[in-house]
Amino acid sequence: MGLFKQARGYFWAPEKPWSAVRAWAVPRLFQAWHSSLCCTLNITTSGFSRGMPLAFDHEHGALIVSWHDQTLIPQHLLRDLGLAGLFSTSRSGQMQSAFWELYGWRVVRGSSKKRDAVAALREALRMLRKGQSFAFTPDGPKGPRHKAQGGVVYLASNAPAVILPIGVAAARCWKMPSWDKYLIPKPFSRVHLHMGAPIHLPPDIPRNETSHYLKLVEDAINAAEREAEKQCKIKN
């Protein structure tokens, strides 16, 4: 175990040549694994015909929102559609964004640091106002799990942008030992994605009213997840 940690630390180090090797190789290894897994899955959807046309309005962008642990299948299903996502500027975030770019996603980089997060939100707001739609994880990048943070209300209210909530469920899956309990469907399992009713927030929401609308977004994503579980016949 000590030798493994030492090797992992050497590979993860920011110095060259590993930084360049890692930046090129890791996203492509993940892509090969991810594409192979998704080819085995029985993926079904509901609600998308109602909501997705709003993501391609071209005059107003939309926010497609799901929890941080449920992004694996939406990344595959919504690939090569010109959608954008927000990603951390950390080393892992840089590789994650490179991984998503391989699937045709546009990238806006920010972080959990206040200055970087604000800059990323402002850039996302500018793009939303020009008609660019985003996929967004309201509880990312560090949680708390399934608790929406203020960014989603800020963007939806100020752009303005419609919110399209997505819930994901897998009949058989692994849940990783991470803060978000990241969901990975097991090969050959059934996966269902449900898009709930579009949410339109009022403009210029005061800061002291943000919590009310965050709860509304949380409830919508959770309801979409319950519907996805129902379609997969998962009993809680």
Side-chain angles (χ1 to χ4, degrees):
M1 183 61 72
L3 183 61
F4 172 78
K5 286 184 177 180
Q6 184 178 0
R8 181 182 180 278
Y10 182 64
F11 178 76
W12 200 251
E15 295 82 10
K16 294 181 178 180
W18 282 121
S19 60
V21 172
R22 183 175 59 241
W24 186 90
V26 172
R28 285 161 177 80
L29 290 172
F30 270 115
Q31 183 189 31
W33 165 80
H34 182 236
S35 298
S36 298
L37 171 64
C38 288
C39 284
T40 73
L41 301 175
N42 176 16
I43 302 174
T44 57
T45 66
S46 56
F48 277 68
S49 60
R50 169 181 56 187
M52 282 305 292
L54 297 174
F56 303 103
D57 184 304
H58 300 301
E59 183 178 354
H60 301 286
L63 290 171
I64 303 169
V65 297
S66 65
W67 295 132
H68 196 272
D69 57 298
Q70 298 178 1
T71 58
L72 192 70
I73 304 305
Q75 176 192 3
H76 168 77
L77 189 69
L78 303 178
R79 66 193 183 278
D80 295 323
L81 295 179
L83 300 173
L86 289 170
F87 297 89
S88 168
T89 55
S90 66
R91 276 177 285 158
S92 59
Q94 289 170 1
M95 281 188 289
Q96 185 184 26
S97 64
F99 173 40
W100 283 64
E101 284 180 311
L102 292 172
Y103 285 88
W105 288 76
R106 300 183 67 182
V107 167
V108 174
R109 290 185 173 88
S111 77
S112 58
K113 295 180 180 179
K114 184 175 181 179
R115 183 179 62 183
D116 293 338
V118 169
L121 285 174
R122 286 176 177 169
E123 176 62 12
L125 181 62
R126 183 189 68 81
M127 294 171 69
L128 279 166
R129 286 172 172 169
K130 290 188 174 183
Q132 173 67 57
S133 291
F134 277 79
F136 196 82
T137 55
D139 59 341
K142 294 184 177 181
R145 183 176 186 264
H146 293 190
K147 292 293 182 183
Q149 307 301 308
V152 64
V153 169
Y154 168 80
L155 290 174
S157 177
N158 287 280
V162 63
I163 297 175
L164 304 173
I166 290 181
V168 182
R172 296 182 300 110
C173 66
W174 293 288
K175 291 194 176 182
M176 302 301 291
S178 54
W179 70 265
D180 60 351
K181 299 181 181 178
Y182 198 79
L183 184 150
I184 300 178
K186 292 184 178 180
F188 305 102
S189 61
R190 184 182 180 193
V191 177
H192 190 84
L193 293 83
H194 177 75
M195 179 174 283
I199 303 170
H200 297 271
L201 300 188
D204 304 318
I205 294 173
R207 183 172 297 182
N208 62 352
E209 296 181 16
T210 297
S211 59
H212 167 74
Y213 293 101
L214 289 176
K215 182 65 166 53
L216 189 152
V217 172
E218 290 173 6
D219 289 346
I221 301 174
N222 290 334
E225 183 180 2
R226 288 193 297 271
E227 179 60 27
E229 290 173 346
K230 179 182 176 182
Q231 295 296 327
C232 277
K233 297 180 171 59
I234 296 173
K235 294 181 179 180
N236 293 319

Short mmCIF file of all heavy atoms in Angstrom, two decimals, residues 135-188:
data_model
loop_
_atom_site.label_atom_id
_atom_site.label_comp_id
_atom_site.label_asym_id
_atom_site.label_seq_id
_atom_site.Cartn_x
_atom_site.Cartn_y
_atom_site.Cartn_z
N ALA A 135 -25.28 22.59 -18.38
CA ALA A 135 -25.58 21.55 -17.40
C ALA A 135 -24.92 22.00 -16.10
O ALA A 135 -23.78 22.47 -16.10
CB ALA A 135 -25.05 20.21 -17.85
N PHE A 136 -25.63 21.84 -15.00
CA PHE A 136 -25.21 22.45 -13.74
C PHE A 136 -25.51 21.50 -12.60
O PHE A 136 -26.58 20.89 -12.56
CB PHE A 136 -25.97 23.77 -13.56
CG PHE A 136 -25.41 24.71 -12.54
CD1 PHE A 136 -24.36 25.55 -12.85
CD2 PHE A 136 -25.93 24.76 -11.26
CE1 PHE A 136 -23.85 26.44 -11.92
CE2 PHE A 136 -25.43 25.63 -10.31
CZ PHE A 136 -24.37 26.48 -10.65
N THR A 137 -24.57 21.35 -11.67
CA THR A 137 -24.81 20.54 -10.47
C THR A 137 -24.91 21.48 -9.28
O THR A 137 -23.90 21.98 -8.79
CB THR A 137 -23.68 19.51 -10.25
OG1 THR A 137 -22.42 20.18 -10.20
CG2 THR A 137 -23.66 18.48 -11.36
N PRO A 138 -26.12 21.75 -8.79
CA PRO A 138 -26.30 22.76 -7.74
C PRO A 138 -25.60 22.44 -6.43
O PRO A 138 -25.35 23.34 -5.63
CB PRO A 138 -27.82 22.79 -7.54
CG PRO A 138 -28.39 22.26 -8.80
CD PRO A 138 -27.41 21.24 -9.28
N ASP A 139 -25.27 21.15 -6.20
CA ASP A 139 -24.58 20.80 -4.95
C ASP A 139 -23.08 20.63 -5.14
O ASP A 139 -22.38 20.22 -4.22
CB ASP A 139 -25.18 19.53 -4.33
CG ASP A 139 -25.10 18.32 -5.27
OD1 ASP A 139 -24.92 18.51 -6.49
OD2 ASP A 139 -25.21 17.18 -4.78
N GLY A 140 -22.55 20.93 -6.32
CA GLY A 140 -21.13 20.79 -6.57
C GLY A 140 -20.36 22.06 -6.29
O GLY A 140 -20.96 23.13 -6.11
N PRO A 141 -19.00 22.00 -6.28
CA PRO A 141 -18.21 20.79 -6.49
C PRO A 141 -17.89 20.01 -5.21
O PRO A 141 -17.31 18.95 -5.29
CB PRO A 141 -16.91 21.35 -7.10
CG PRO A 141 -16.77 22.68 -6.43
CD PRO A 141 -18.17 23.22 -6.26
N LYS A 142 -18.28 20.52 -4.04
CA LYS A 142 -17.88 19.85 -2.79
C LYS A 142 -19.03 19.62 -1.82
O LYS A 142 -18.82 19.21 -0.69
CB LYS A 142 -16.79 20.68 -2.08
CG LYS A 142 -15.48 20.75 -2.85
CD LYS A 142 -14.42 21.50 -2.05
CE LYS A 142 -13.08 21.52 -2.79
NZ LYS A 142 -12.03 22.24 -2.01
N GLY A 143 -20.26 19.89 -2.23
CA GLY A 143 -21.39 19.61 -1.36
C GLY A 143 -21.77 20.78 -0.48
O GLY A 143 -21.31 21.90 -0.69
N PRO A 144 -22.64 20.54 0.52
CA PRO A 144 -23.16 19.26 0.98
C PRO A 144 -24.00 18.54 -0.08
O PRO A 144 -24.59 19.18 -0.95
CB PRO A 144 -24.04 19.63 2.19
CG PRO A 144 -23.60 21.00 2.58
CD PRO A 144 -23.16 21.66 1.32
N ARG A 145 -24.04 17.22 0.03
CA ARG A 145 -24.73 16.38 -0.93
C ARG A 145 -26.21 16.73 -0.99
O ARG A 145 -26.89 16.83 0.02
CB ARG A 145 -24.54 14.91 -0.56
CG ARG A 145 -25.16 13.92 -1.54
CD ARG A 145 -24.83 12.50 -1.12
NE ARG A 145 -25.28 11.54 -2.11
CZ ARG A 145 -26.44 10.88 -2.03
NH1 ARG A 145 -27.25 11.10 -1.01
NH2 ARG A 145 -26.78 10.02 -2.97
N HIS A 146 -26.70 16.92 -2.22
CA HIS A 146 -28.11 17.17 -2.51
C HIS A 146 -28.65 18.42 -1.81
O HIS A 146 -29.83 18.50 -1.49
CB HIS A 146 -28.97 15.95 -2.15
CG HIS A 146 -28.70 14.76 -3.02
ND1 HIS A 146 -29.49 13.63 -3.01
CD2 HIS A 146 -27.72 14.52 -3.95
CE1 HIS A 146 -29.02 12.75 -3.88
NE2 HIS A 146 -27.95 13.27 -4.45
N LYS A 147 -27.76 19.39 -1.60
CA LYS A 147 -28.16 20.69 -1.07
C LYS A 147 -27.75 21.76 -2.09
O LYS A 147 -26.55 21.98 -2.31
CB LYS A 147 -27.51 20.97 0.29
CG LYS A 147 -28.02 20.08 1.40
CD LYS A 147 -29.48 20.37 1.71
CE LYS A 147 -30.00 19.51 2.86
NZ LYS A 147 -31.45 19.76 3.11
N ALA A 148 -28.73 22.41 -2.69
CA ALA A 148 -28.44 23.39 -3.73
C ALA A 148 -27.76 24.63 -3.16
O ALA A 148 -28.15 25.12 -2.10
CB ALA A 148 -29.73 23.78 -4.45
N GLN A 149 -26.74 25.11 -3.86
CA GLN A 149 -26.05 26.34 -3.49
C GLN A 149 -26.62 27.51 -4.30
O GLN A 149 -27.34 27.32 -5.28
CB GLN A 149 -24.54 26.19 -3.75
CG GLN A 149 -23.92 24.97 -3.09
CD GLN A 149 -24.08 24.95 -1.59
OE1 GLN A 149 -23.75 25.92 -0.92
NE2 GLN A 149 -24.60 23.85 -1.05
N GLY A 150 -26.26 28.71 -3.91
CA GLY A 150 -26.89 29.90 -4.46
C GLY A 150 -26.68 30.17 -5.93
O GLY A 150 -27.45 30.91 -6.55
N GLY A 151 -25.64 29.57 -6.54
CA GLY A 151 -25.31 29.87 -7.93
C GLY A 151 -26.44 29.58 -8.90
O GLY A 151 -26.66 30.34 -9.86
N VAL A 152 -27.18 28.50 -8.68
CA VAL A 152 -28.23 28.13 -9.62
C VAL A 152 -29.36 29.17 -9.62
O VAL A 152 -29.89 29.52 -10.69
CB VAL A 152 -28.78 26.71 -9.30
CG1 VAL A 152 -29.46 26.67 -7.93
CG2 VAL A 152 -29.74 26.26 -10.38
N VAL A 153 -29.71 29.70 -8.45
CA VAL A 153 -30.75 30.73 -8.38
C VAL A 153 -30.24 32.04 -8.97
O VAL A 153 -30.97 32.74 -9.69
CB VAL A 153 -31.23 30.92 -6.92
CG1 VAL A 153 -32.12 32.16 -6.79
CG2 VAL A 153 -31.97 29.68 -6.45
N TYR A 154 -28.99 32.38 -8.68
CA TYR A 154 -28.39 33.60 -9.23
C TYR A 154 -28.44 33.59 -10.76
O TYR A 154 -28.87 34.58 -11.39
CB TYR A 154 -26.95 33.73 -8.75
CG TYR A 154 -26.15 34.79 -9.45
CD1 TYR A 154 -26.27 36.14 -9.12
CD2 TYR A 154 -25.26 34.44 -10.47
CE1 TYR A 154 -25.53 37.12 -9.79
CE2 TYR A 154 -24.51 35.41 -11.13
CZ TYR A 154 -24.65 36.74 -10.79
OH TYR A 154 -23.92 37.70 -11.45
N LEU A 155 -28.02 32.48 -11.36
CA LEU A 155 -27.98 32.40 -12.82
C LEU A 155 -29.39 32.40 -13.41
O LEU A 155 -29.67 33.14 -14.36
CB LEU A 155 -27.24 31.13 -13.25
CG LEU A 155 -25.74 31.10 -13.00
CD1 LEU A 155 -25.17 29.72 -13.34
CD2 LEU A 155 -25.03 32.17 -13.82
N ALA A 156 -30.28 31.58 -12.85
CA ALA A 156 -31.62 31.46 -13.42
C ALA A 156 -32.40 32.77 -13.30
O ALA A 156 -33.15 33.13 -14.21
CB ALA A 156 -32.37 30.34 -12.71
N SER A 157 -32.19 33.50 -12.22
CA SER A 157 -32.93 34.73 -11.99
C SER A 157 -32.38 35.90 -12.79
O SER A 157 -33.14 36.74 -13.28
CB SER A 157 -32.91 35.08 -10.49
OG SER A 157 -33.55 36.30 -10.23
N ASN A 158 -31.07 35.95 -12.94
CA ASN A 158 -30.45 37.11 -13.57
C ASN A 158 -30.27 36.98 -15.08
O ASN A 158 -30.09 38.00 -15.76
CB ASN A 158 -29.10 37.41 -12.91
CG ASN A 158 -29.26 38.01 -11.53
OD1 ASN A 158 -29.50 39.21 -11.38
ND2 ASN A 158 -29.14 37.18 -10.51
N ALA A 159 -30.30 35.76 -15.63
CA ALA A 159 -30.06 35.60 -17.07
C ALA A 159 -31.18 36.22 -17.94
O ALA A 159 -30.87 37.01 -18.82
CB ALA A 159 -29.81 34.13 -17.40
N PRO A 160 -32.46 35.91 -17.78
CA PRO A 160 -33.05 34.81 -17.02
C PRO A 160 -32.91 33.50 -17.78
O PRO A 160 -32.77 33.51 -19.01
CB PRO A 160 -34.51 35.23 -16.90
CG PRO A 160 -34.78 35.98 -18.17
CD PRO A 160 -33.49 36.68 -18.51
N ALA A 161 -32.97 32.38 -17.05
CA ALA A 161 -32.84 31.07 -17.67
C ALA A 161 -33.80 30.10 -17.03
O ALA A 161 -33.95 30.07 -15.81
CB ALA A 161 -31.40 30.56 -17.53
N VAL A 162 -34.46 29.29 -17.84
CA VAL A 162 -35.35 28.25 -17.34
C VAL A 162 -34.50 27.13 -16.73
O VAL A 162 -33.40 26.84 -17.21
CB VAL A 162 -36.26 27.71 -18.46
CG1 VAL A 162 -35.46 27.04 -19.56
CG2 VAL A 162 -37.30 26.75 -17.89
N ILE A 163 -34.99 26.52 -15.67
CA ILE A 163 -34.30 25.40 -15.02
C ILE A 163 -34.99 24.11 -15.43
O ILE A 163 -36.22 23.98 -15.32
CB ILE A 163 -34.33 25.55 -13.49
CG1 ILE A 163 -33.56 26.81 -13.06
CG2 ILE A 163 -33.73 24.32 -12.81
CD1 ILE A 163 -33.65 27.10 -11.58
N LEU A 164 -34.21 23.14 -15.89
CA LEU A 164 -34.73 21.84 -16.32
C LEU A 164 -34.14 20.76 -15.39
O LEU A 164 -32.98 20.38 -15.53
CB LEU A 164 -34.33 21.56 -17.77
CG LEU A 164 -34.76 22.62 -18.79
CD1 LEU A 164 -34.17 22.32 -20.15
CD2 LEU A 164 -36.28 22.72 -18.88
N PRO A 165 -34.92 20.27 -14.41
CA PRO A 165 -34.38 19.31 -13.44
C PRO A 165 -34.36 17.89 -13.98
O PRO A 165 -35.31 17.43 -14.61
CB PRO A 165 -35.37 19.43 -12.27
CG PRO A 165 -36.66 19.82 -12.92
CD PRO A 165 -36.31 20.67 -14.11
N ILE A 166 -33.25 17.20 -13.74
CA ILE A 166 -33.09 15.81 -14.18
C ILE A 166 -32.81 14.92 -12.97
O ILE A 166 -31.99 15.25 -12.11
CB ILE A 166 -31.94 15.66 -15.19
CG1 ILE A 166 -32.31 16.30 -16.53
CG2 ILE A 166 -31.59 14.20 -15.42
CD1 ILE A 166 -31.22 16.18 -17.58
N GLY A 167 -33.49 13.79 -12.92
CA GLY A 167 -33.21 12.74 -11.95
C GLY A 167 -32.75 11.49 -12.66
O GLY A 167 -33.24 11.18 -13.76
N VAL A 168 -31.81 10.77 -12.06
CA VAL A 168 -31.23 9.57 -12.67
C VAL A 168 -31.35 8.42 -11.69
O VAL A 168 -31.12 8.59 -10.49
CB VAL A 168 -29.75 9.79 -13.04
CG1 VAL A 168 -29.16 8.54 -13.71
CG2 VAL A 168 -29.59 11.00 -13.96
N ALA A 169 -31.68 7.24 -12.20
CA ALA A 169 -31.73 6.05 -11.36
C ALA A 169 -31.25 4.85 -12.16
O ALA A 169 -31.45 4.78 -13.38
CB ALA A 169 -33.14 5.81 -10.84
N ALA A 170 -30.61 3.92 -11.48
CA ALA A 170 -30.14 2.68 -12.10
C ALA A 170 -30.67 1.51 -11.29
O ALA A 170 -30.62 1.52 -10.06
CB ALA A 170 -28.62 2.64 -12.15
N ALA A 171 -31.17 0.51 -11.99
CA ALA A 171 -31.71 -0.66 -11.31
C ALA A 171 -30.63 -1.38 -10.51
O ALA A 171 -30.90 -1.91 -9.43
CB ALA A 171 -32.34 -1.61 -12.33
N ARG A 172 -29.41 -1.39 -11.03
CA ARG A 172 -28.27 -1.98 -10.30
C ARG A 172 -27.09 -1.02 -10.45
O ARG A 172 -26.79 -0.59 -11.56
CB ARG A 172 -27.91 -3.36 -10.87
CG ARG A 172 -29.00 -4.41 -10.69
CD ARG A 172 -28.60 -5.78 -11.21
NE ARG A 172 -28.29 -5.74 -12.64
CZ ARG A 172 -27.07 -5.89 -13.16
NH1 ARG A 172 -26.03 -6.06 -12.35
NH2 ARG A 172 -26.88 -5.85 -14.47
N CYS A 173 -26.45 -0.69 -9.36
CA CYS A 173 -25.37 0.30 -9.43
C CYS A 173 -24.40 0.15 -8.27
O CYS A 173 -24.67 -0.54 -7.28
CB CYS A 173 -25.95 1.72 -9.43
SG CYS A 173 -26.77 2.16 -7.88
N TRP A 174 -23.26 0.80 -8.44
CA TRP A 174 -22.32 1.02 -7.35
C TRP A 174 -22.45 2.47 -6.91
O TRP A 174 -22.75 3.35 -7.72
CB TRP A 174 -20.88 0.79 -7.80
CG TRP A 174 -20.56 -0.61 -8.16
CD1 TRP A 174 -20.40 -1.69 -7.32
CD2 TRP A 174 -20.29 -1.11 -9.50
NE1 TRP A 174 -20.09 -2.82 -8.04
CE2 TRP A 174 -20.01 -2.50 -9.38
CE3 TRP A 174 -20.28 -0.53 -10.76
CZ2 TRP A 174 -19.70 -3.30 -10.47
CZ3 TRP A 174 -19.99 -1.31 -11.86
CH2 TRP A 174 -19.70 -2.68 -11.70
N LYS A 175 -22.20 2.73 -5.64
CA LYS A 175 -22.11 4.10 -5.13
C LYS A 175 -20.74 4.27 -4.50
O LYS A 175 -20.39 3.55 -3.56
CB LYS A 175 -23.24 4.40 -4.13
CG LYS A 175 -24.60 4.44 -4.81
CD LYS A 175 -25.67 5.05 -3.95
CE LYS A 175 -26.98 5.15 -4.72
NZ LYS A 175 -28.06 5.78 -3.92
N MET A 176 -19.99 5.20 -5.04
CA MET A 176 -18.60 5.35 -4.64
C MET A 176 -18.48 5.92 -3.23
O MET A 176 -19.36 6.65 -2.76
CB MET A 176 -17.88 6.29 -5.63
CG MET A 176 -17.94 5.81 -7.08
SD MET A 176 -17.21 4.17 -7.29
CE MET A 176 -15.48 4.56 -7.01
N PRO A 177 -17.38 5.63 -2.53
CA PRO A 177 -17.17 6.14 -1.16
C PRO A 177 -16.64 7.57 -1.16
O PRO A 177 -15.62 7.88 -0.56
CB PRO A 177 -16.15 5.16 -0.58
CG PRO A 177 -15.34 4.72 -1.77
CD PRO A 177 -16.33 4.66 -2.92
N SER A 178 -17.34 8.45 -1.86
CA SER A 178 -16.96 9.87 -1.96
C SER A 178 -18.05 10.70 -1.28
O SER A 178 -19.10 10.18 -0.90
CB SER A 178 -16.82 10.28 -3.43
OG SER A 178 -17.99 9.96 -4.16
N TRP A 179 -17.82 12.00 -1.14
CA TRP A 179 -18.78 12.85 -0.44
C TRP A 179 -20.15 12.82 -1.09
O TRP A 179 -21.18 12.97 -0.42
CB TRP A 179 -18.27 14.29 -0.37
CG TRP A 179 -18.24 15.02 -1.69
CD1 TRP A 179 -17.18 15.14 -2.54
CD2 TRP A 179 -19.33 15.72 -2.30
NE1 TRP A 179 -17.54 15.87 -3.65
CE2 TRP A 179 -18.85 16.25 -3.54
CE3 TRP A 179 -20.65 15.97 -1.94
CZ2 TRP A 179 -19.64 16.98 -4.40
CZ3 TRP A 179 -21.46 16.71 -2.81
CH2 TRP A 179 -20.94 17.21 -4.02
N ASP A 180 -20.19 12.63 -2.42
CA ASP A 180 -21.47 12.66 -3.13
C ASP A 180 -22.07 11.28 -3.37
O ASP A 180 -23.18 11.17 -3.90
CB ASP A 180 -21.31 13.39 -4.47
CG ASP A 180 -20.28 12.71 -5.38
OD1 ASP A 180 -19.58 11.79 -4.92
OD2 ASP A 180 -20.17 13.12 -6.56
N LYS A 181 -21.33 10.21 -2.99
CA LYS A 181 -21.79 8.83 -3.24
C LYS A 181 -22.08 8.63 -4.73
O LYS A 181 -23.14 8.17 -5.14
CB LYS A 181 -23.02 8.50 -2.40
CG LYS A 181 -22.78 8.59 -0.89
CD LYS A 181 -24.02 8.22 -0.10
CE LYS A 181 -23.74 8.36 1.40
NZ LYS A 181 -24.96 8.05 2.22
N TYR A 182 -21.08 8.94 -5.52
CA TYR A 182 -21.22 8.97 -6.98
C TYR A 182 -21.79 7.67 -7.52
O TYR A 182 -21.33 6.58 -7.19
CB TYR A 182 -19.87 9.26 -7.63
CG TYR A 182 -19.98 9.73 -9.05
CD1 TYR A 182 -20.32 11.05 -9.34
CD2 TYR A 182 -19.75 8.87 -10.11
CE1 TYR A 182 -20.42 11.49 -10.65
CE2 TYR A 182 -19.86 9.30 -11.42
CZ TYR A 182 -20.20 10.61 -11.69
OH TYR A 182 -20.31 11.04 -12.99
N LEU A 183 -22.80 7.79 -8.38
CA LEU A 183 -23.54 6.64 -8.89
C LEU A 183 -22.92 6.13 -10.19
O LEU A 183 -22.77 6.90 -11.15
CB LEU A 183 -25.00 7.03 -9.11
CG LEU A 183 -25.98 5.95 -9.55
CD1 LEU A 183 -27.38 6.25 -9.02
CD2 LEU A 183 -26.04 5.82 -11.08
N ILE A 184 -22.57 4.85 -10.20
CA ILE A 184 -22.06 4.19 -11.41
C ILE A 184 -22.94 2.97 -11.69
O ILE A 184 -22.93 2.01 -10.91
CB ILE A 184 -20.59 3.76 -11.26
CG1 ILE A 184 -19.70 4.97 -10.98
CG2 ILE A 184 -20.12 3.03 -12.53
CD1 ILE A 184 -18.24 4.61 -10.77
N PRO A 185 -23.71 2.99 -12.76
CA PRO A 185 -24.55 1.83 -13.08
C PRO A 185 -23.68 0.60 -13.36
O PRO A 185 -22.61 0.70 -13.94
CB PRO A 185 -25.29 2.27 -14.34
CG PRO A 185 -25.21 3.76 -14.35
CD PRO A 185 -23.90 4.09 -13.71
N LYS A 186 -24.18 -0.55 -12.94
CA LYS A 186 -23.48 -1.79 -13.25
C LYS A 186 -23.77 -2.17 -14.70
O LYS A 186 -24.84 -1.85 -15.24
CB LYS A 186 -23.94 -2.90 -12.31
CG LYS A 186 -23.51 -2.68 -10.87
CD LYS A 186 -23.90 -3.84 -9.98
CE LYS A 186 -23.40 -3.61 -8.55
NZ LYS A 186 -23.76 -4.73 -7.65
N PRO A 187 -22.81 -2.83 -15.36
CA PRO A 187 -23.01 -3.21 -16.76
C PRO A 187 -24.31 -3.99 -16.96
O PRO A 187 -24.70 -4.80 -16.12
CB PRO A 187 -21.78 -4.08 -17.07
CG PRO A 187 -20.74 -3.58 -16.12
CD PRO A 187 -21.48 -3.22 -14.86
N PHE A 188 -24.98 -3.71 -18.07
CA PHE A 188 -26.19 -4.39 -18.51
C PHE A 188 -27.41 -4.10 -17.62
O PHE A 188 -28.42 -4.79 -17.70
CB PHE A 188 -25.96 -5.91 -18.61
CG PHE A 188 -24.79 -6.27 -19.49
CD1 PHE A 188 -23.58 -6.65 -18.93
CD2 PHE A 188 -24.90 -6.19 -20.87
CE1 PHE A 188 -22.50 -6.96 -19.73
CE2 PHE A 188 -23.82 -6.51 -21.68
CZ PHE A 188 -22.62 -6.89 -21.11
#
